[in-house]
């Protein structure tokens, strides 16, 4: 076990590979290397000298910062399909610190330890969660953020086939209270299934109290809320709203025939005080449901006036993903994972349909137009048409797009009800 040897460490370098995260999003609540920050706190507490380096594309620019010789380097990993970035980070560390031991942990390392060891060439792989570090607050002094991250639970009560949580965090563990951890006015929960915590009501009541006292401003859950739990306990919706959870999300991975249940989940949030357009529905596509079925689900969300967070499926052991959203050239399974029921064109079309629909919902319009978005239409005509229904708008706006029908192509004339 790697951790037993830690007492001997003097200097540890913590590395986040240069994952393809836009620089401006580096400190975004979705991309903080929280595992490394907890490790940093733990190691510091053990008297180990640490440095964190978040590699960028110009590895070179980081070299000068590495002014100490670590005995061990811990590299984090994320999705399996970003394995190449981990390998590059290992190579970089080998060149720069040939005498240091290189350990890789995190999601990819935990899901595919053998592949990780062989492909990246690291010395050791750390699988799962580091329990010792888990007890520590992340070391926020190493990053520049105005929020804090809390795990009120680890693991999940469910075992969805497309999800790797069970592999990494097989046991569902939860806290009864989190109020003693709170120090920031903004809290982001990294729980996989926040509402599954048997003490969720107590935790939400704590947050409501902290909100009343203005100790906190708002909360957010990185994962969606478990709609089946919301249906059983609709009172949780009111507590979420009172605690000022922003941008609530629920997941709809099942078939279109589940629409009644999903609508009831949306209604619980709306009746708790959320505007429908603040709510997002997570949808996995490029998976078992066909394009047509996904489009029908999209149209339900249009009727309910909720946004969609689309998530392109990749298998849990997919080790590359070179999908290019900007290319005009078709891509194939050699570039990225394409489900047998889908193809490159349908994937791009669905993604485009979601984007257009979300813009309509955010802007309260009944049609989408790229000409209006890119200001190729005069302000006067755009303002005149803004509140029009699709059939009226299309008289004035050539490229008006109707969210209410299935679109099989990005710029299609071919549509079907
Ligand atoms: S509910 Fe969410 S976190 Fe839990 S197993 Fe399913 S997908 Fe994973």
């Amino acid at each position: 076990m790697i951790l037993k040897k830690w007492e001997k460490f003097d200097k540890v370098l913590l590395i986040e590979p240069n994952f393809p995260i836009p620089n401006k999003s580096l400190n975004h609540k979705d991309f903080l290397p929280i595992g490394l920050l907890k490790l940093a706190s733990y190691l510091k507490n053990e008297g180990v000298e640490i440095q964190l380096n978040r590699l960028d594309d110009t590895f070179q620019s980081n070299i000068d910062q590495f002014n100490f010789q670590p005995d061990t380097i811990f590299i984090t990993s994320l999705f399996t399909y970003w394995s190449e970035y981990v390998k590059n980070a290992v190579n970089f560390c080998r060149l720069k610190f040939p005498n240091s031991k290189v350990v890789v942990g995190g999601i990819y390392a935990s899901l595919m330890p053998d592949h990780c060891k062989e492909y990246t060439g690291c010395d050791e792989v750390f699988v799962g969660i580091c329990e010792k570090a888990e007890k520590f607050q992340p070391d926020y002094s190493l990053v520049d953020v105005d929020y804090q991250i809390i795990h009120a639970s680890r693991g999940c009560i469910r075992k969805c086939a497309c999800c790797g949580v069970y592999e990494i965090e097989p046991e569902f563990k939860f806290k009864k209270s989190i109020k003693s951890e709170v120090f920031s006015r903004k809290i982001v929960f990294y729980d996989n299934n926040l509402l599954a915590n048997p003490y969720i009501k107590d935790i939400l009541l704590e947050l409501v109290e902290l909100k009343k006292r203005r100790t906190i401003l708002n909360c957010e859950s990185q994962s969606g809320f478990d709609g089946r739990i919301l249906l059983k306990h609709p009172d949780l919706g009111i507590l979420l709203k009172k605690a000022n959870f922003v941008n609530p999300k629920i997941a709809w991975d099942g078939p279109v025939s589940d629409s009644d249940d999903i609508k009831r989940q949306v209604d619980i949030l709306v009746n708790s005080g959320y505007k429908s357009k603040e709510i997002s529905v997570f949808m996995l596509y490029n998976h078992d449901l066909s394009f047509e079925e996904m489009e029908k689900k999209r149209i339900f969300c249009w009727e309910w006036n909720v946004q969609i967070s689309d998530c392109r499926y990749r298998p849990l052991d997919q080790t590359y993903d070179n999908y290019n959203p900007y290319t005009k050239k078709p891509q194939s399974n050699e570039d990225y994972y394409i489900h047998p029921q889908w193809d490159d064109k349908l994937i791009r079309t669905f993604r485009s349909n979601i984007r257009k629909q979300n813009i309509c919902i955010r802007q309260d319009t009944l049609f989408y137009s790229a000409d209006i978005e890119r200001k190729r239409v005069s302000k006067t005509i755009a303002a005149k048409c803004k509140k029009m229904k699709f059939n009226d708008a299309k008289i004035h706006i050539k490229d008006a797009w109707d969210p209410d029908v299935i679109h099989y192509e990005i710029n299609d004339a071919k549509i079907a009800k």
Side-chain angles (χ1 to χ4, degrees):
M1 179 77 176
I2 298 160
L3 289 180
K4 279 186 193 151
K5 301 175 192 167
W6 281 16
E7 295 103 65
K8 297 180 197 156
F9 298 162
D10 291 324
K11 293 182 175 182
V12 167
L13 182 60
L14 303 169
I15 294 272
E16 181 187 48
N18 64 327
F19 296 128
I21 299 166
N23 266 346
K24 65 180 169 49
S25 302
L26 207 58
N27 286 324
H28 185 274
K29 58 189 167 45
D30 289 344
F31 296 116
L32 216 57
I34 200 73
L36 291 184
L37 299 185
K38 286 183 180 177
L39 259 183
S41 294
Y42 167 65
L43 290 168
K44 276 185 181 174
N45 189 59
E46 297 280 302
V48 179
E49 195 182 327
I50 63 110
Q51 250 201 37
L52 170 73
N53 272 277
R54 308 181 76 183
L55 297 179
D56 61 19
D57 285 341
T58 61
F59 283 65
Q60 207 58 26
S61 68
N62 285 285
I63 289 178
D64 295 339
Q65 298 166 29
F66 293 3
N67 51 9
F68 83 149
Q69 290 295 318
D71 42 51
T72 303
I73 301 171
F74 286 96
I75 300 178
T76 192
S77 65
L78 264 175
F79 313 116
T80 53
Y81 50 82
W82 282 354
S83 60
E84 190 185 342
Y85 299 89
V86 181
K87 182 189 172 102
N88 293 341
V90 172
N91 287 344
F92 168 73
C93 291
R94 286 264 184 252
L95 278 175
K96 181 73 187 156
F97 308 107
N99 300 320
S100 305
K101 179 172 167 180
V102 179
V103 183
V104 178
I107 296 175
Y108 157 56
S110 299
L111 288 176
M112 303 182 73
D114 295 337
H115 183 280
C116 178
K117 178 103 174 36
E118 194 174 324
Y119 177 66
T120 67
C122 63
D123 295 307
E124 286 194 46
V125 174
F126 184 80
V127 174
I129 289 176
C130 173
E131 296 294 345
K132 288 186 181 177
E134 197 52 27
K135 296 189 179 80
F136 285 77
Q137 282 270 14
D139 185 347
Y140 291 101
S141 70
L142 299 170
V143 284
D144 180 22
V145 294
D146 67 347
Y147 57 85
Q148 78 173 107
I149 285 164
I150 292 184
H151 277 111
S153 63
R154 301 303 303 234
C156 182
I157 54 166
R158 309 200 189 280
K159 268 193 190 179
C160 305
C162 57
C163 175
V165 164
Y166 184 76
E167 304 283 328
I168 303 168
E169 304 168 25
E171 203 184 331
F172 186 58
K173 294 182 180 169
F174 47 84
K175 296 175 185 167
K176 295 180 177 177
S177 161
I178 48 96
K179 68 173 183 245
S180 62
E181 292 179 41
V182 174
F183 66 84
S184 169
R185 299 200 72 216
K186 295 182 191 168
I187 304 173
V188 181
F189 285 90
Y190 265 22
D191 298 54
N192 302 302
N193 192 336
L194 182 69
L195 300 189
N197 186 330
Y199 293 89
I200 186 61
K201 211 165 183 171
D202 298 333
I203 288 173
L204 290 177
L205 285 168
E206 286 180 350
L207 293 167
V208 171
E209 192 51 38
L210 291 170
K211 170 79 183 117
K212 264 192 212 154
R213 283 198 246 132
R214 301 191 177 188
T215 308
I216 62 166
L217 186 63
N218 62 40
C219 307
E220 188 160 357
S221 171
Q222 192 193 37
S223 303
F225 296 123
D226 190 324
R228 285 173 280 183
I229 297 177
L230 260 188
L231 286 177
K232 273 198 201 146
H233 304 281
D235 51 319
L236 292 177
I238 291 167
L239 292 177
L240 289 170
K241 179 68 186 162
K242 282 189 176 163
N244 204 17
F245 270 79
V246 294
N247 307 322
K249 297 174 275 257
I250 50 177
W252 185 6
D253 292 334
V256 68
S257 55
D258 287 347
S259 63
D260 286 350
D261 275 352
I262 305 297
K263 172 71 166 78
R264 281 168 58 221
Q265 295 167 17
V266 168
D267 285 347
I268 288 170
L269 292 173
V270 169
N271 294 335
S272 302
Y274 287 102
K275 288 187 191 140
S276 61
K277 66 192 222 179
E278 291 174 66
I279 300 167
S280 295
V281 174
F282 270 126
M283 276 192 199
L284 192 65
Y285 69 106
N286 186 35
H287 196 230
D288 292 347
L289 302 182
S290 68
F291 172 82
E292 281 81 7
E293 185 157 9
M294 291 305 299
E295 277 286 275
K296 285 178 188 160
K297 287 169 61 169
R298 174 182 68 73
I299 293 170
F300 270 114
C301 289
W302 170 245
E303 283 171 18
W304 305 332
N305 200 42
V306 295
Q307 298 197 58
I308 296 172
S309 287
D310 55 309
C311 176
R312 179 167 50 85
Y313 174 75
R314 293 92 154 171
L316 286 175
D317 59 356
Q318 180 77 11
T319 52
Y320 62 90
D321 183 46
N322 298 314
Y323 174 76
N324 180 350
Y326 307 109
T327 184
K328 295 261 184 268
K329 280 195 209 152
Q331 289 189 287
S332 73
N333 246 316
E334 285 180 16
D335 300 302
Y336 73 101
Y337 175 79
I338 300 176
H339 188 278
Q341 284 204 67
W342 287 68
D343 63 34
D344 183 56
K345 194 184 85 179
L346 291 178
I347 287 169
R348 287 171 200 280
T349 303
F350 186 68
R351 175 74 197 92
S352 165
N353 293 348
I354 297 292
R355 179 179 174 274
K356 290 168 183 167
Q357 176 162 310
N358 281 345
I359 289 174
C360 291
I361 288 174
R362 285 199 294 273
Q363 298 184 349
D364 281 325
T365 57
L366 298 171
F367 67 94
Y368 167 81
S369 159
D371 285 346
I372 292 182
E373 188 186 5
R374 293 181 193 133
K375 302 192 172 35
R376 294 188 293 243
V377 169
S378 76
K379 272 189 189 168
T380 321
I381 293 181
K384 186 175 140 195
C385 298
K386 191 172 185 313
K387 291 288 165 203
M388 285 183 183
K389 290 188 178 154
F390 168 75
N391 281 333
D392 299 326
K394 73 178 181 188
I395 299 167
H396 309 278
I397 308 287
K398 267 198 322 245
D399 73 338
W401 179 92
D402 182 5
D404 205 23
V405 294
I406 294 177
H407 293 262
Y408 289 93
E409 292 182 28
I410 291 181
N411 299 310
D412 63 343
K414 240 185 349 178
I415 53 176
K417 276 280 181 192

